[in-house]
Coordinates of all heavy atoms in Angstrom, one line a residue:
T339 N 86.5 109.1 105.0 CA 85.9 109.7 103.8 C 86.9 110.8 103.3 O 87.4 111.5 104.1 CB 84.6 110.3 104.1 OG1 83.7 109.3 104.7 CG2 83.9 110.9 102.9
C340 N 87.0 110.8 102.0 CA 87.9 111.9 101.4 C 87.2 113.2 101.6 O 86.0 113.4 101.6 CB 88.0 111.6 99.9 SG 88.8 110.0 99.5
T341 N 88.1 114.2 101.9 CA 87.6 115.6 102.1 C 88.2 116.5 101.1 O 89.1 116.2 100.3 CB 88.0 116.0 103.5 OG1 89.5 115.9 103.6 CG2 87.4 115.2 104.6
A342 N 87.6 117.7 101.1 CA 88.0 118.8 100.1 C 89.5 119.0 100.1 O 90.1 118.9 101.2 CB 87.3 120.1 100.4
P343 N 90.1 119.2 99.0 CA 89.5 119.5 97.7 C 89.0 118.2 96.9 O 88.5 118.3 95.8 CB 90.6 120.2 96.9 CG 91.8 119.5 97.4 CD 91.6 119.3 98.9
L344 N 89.2 117.0 97.5 CA 88.7 115.8 96.8 C 87.2 115.6 97.0 O 86.7 116.0 98.1 CB 89.5 114.6 97.3 CG 91.0 114.5 97.0 CD1 91.6 113.3 97.8 CD2 91.3 114.4 95.5
P345 N 86.5 115.0 96.1 CA 85.1 114.6 96.4 C 85.1 113.4 97.3 O 86.1 112.7 97.5 CB 84.6 114.3 95.0 CG 85.8 113.9 94.2 CD 86.9 114.7 94.7
S346 N 84.0 113.2 98.0 CA 83.9 112.1 99.0 C 83.9 110.8 98.3 O 84.3 109.8 98.9 CB 82.6 112.3 99.8 OG 81.5 112.3 99.0
V347 N 83.4 110.7 97.1 CA 83.3 109.4 96.3 C 84.3 109.5 95.1 O 84.2 110.5 94.3 CB 81.9 109.1 95.9 CG1 81.9 107.8 95.1 CG2 81.0 109.0 97.1
L348 N 85.2 108.5 95.0 CA 86.2 108.5 93.9 C 86.2 107.2 93.3 O 85.9 106.1 93.9 CB 87.5 108.9 94.5 CG 87.7 110.4 94.9 CD1 89.0 110.4 95.8 CD2 87.9 111.3 93.7
T349 N 86.7 107.1 92.1 CA 87.0 105.8 91.4 C 88.5 105.6 91.2 O 88.9 104.7 90.5 CB 86.3 105.7 90.1 OG1 86.7 106.9 89.2 CG2 84.8 105.7 90.2
V350 N 89.3 106.5 91.8 CA 90.7 106.4 91.8 C 91.2 106.2 93.2 O 90.8 107.0 94.1 CB 91.4 107.7 91.1 CG1 92.9 107.6 91.1 CG2 90.9 107.9 89.7
V351 N 92.1 105.3 93.4 CA 92.6 105.0 94.7 C 93.4 106.1 95.3 O 94.3 106.7 94.7 CB 93.5 103.7 94.7 CG1 94.1 103.4 96.1 CG2 92.6 102.5 94.3
Q352 N 93.1 106.4 96.6 CA 93.9 107.4 97.4 C 94.6 106.7 98.5 O 94.1 105.7 99.1 CB 93.0 108.5 97.9 CG 92.2 109.2 96.8 CD 93.1 110.0 95.9 OE1 93.9 110.7 96.4 NE2 92.8 109.9 94.6
T353 N 95.7 107.2 99.0 CA 96.5 106.6 100.1 C 95.9 107.1 101.4 O 96.1 106.4 102.4 CB 98.0 107.0 100.0 OG1 98.1 108.4 100.1 CG2 98.6 106.5 98.8
G354 N 95.2 108.2 101.5 CA 94.7 108.8 102.8 C 93.3 108.8 103.0 O 92.8 109.3 104.0
C355 N 92.5 108.2 102.1 CA 91.0 108.1 102.3 C 90.5 106.9 101.4 O 91.2 106.4 100.5 CB 90.3 109.4 101.9 SG 90.6 110.0 100.3

Side-chain angles (χ1 to χ4, degrees):
T339 302
C340 299
T341 57
L344 295 173
S346 59
V347 178
L348 290 164
T349 56
V350 178
V351 172
Q352 302 295 313
T353 59
C355 57

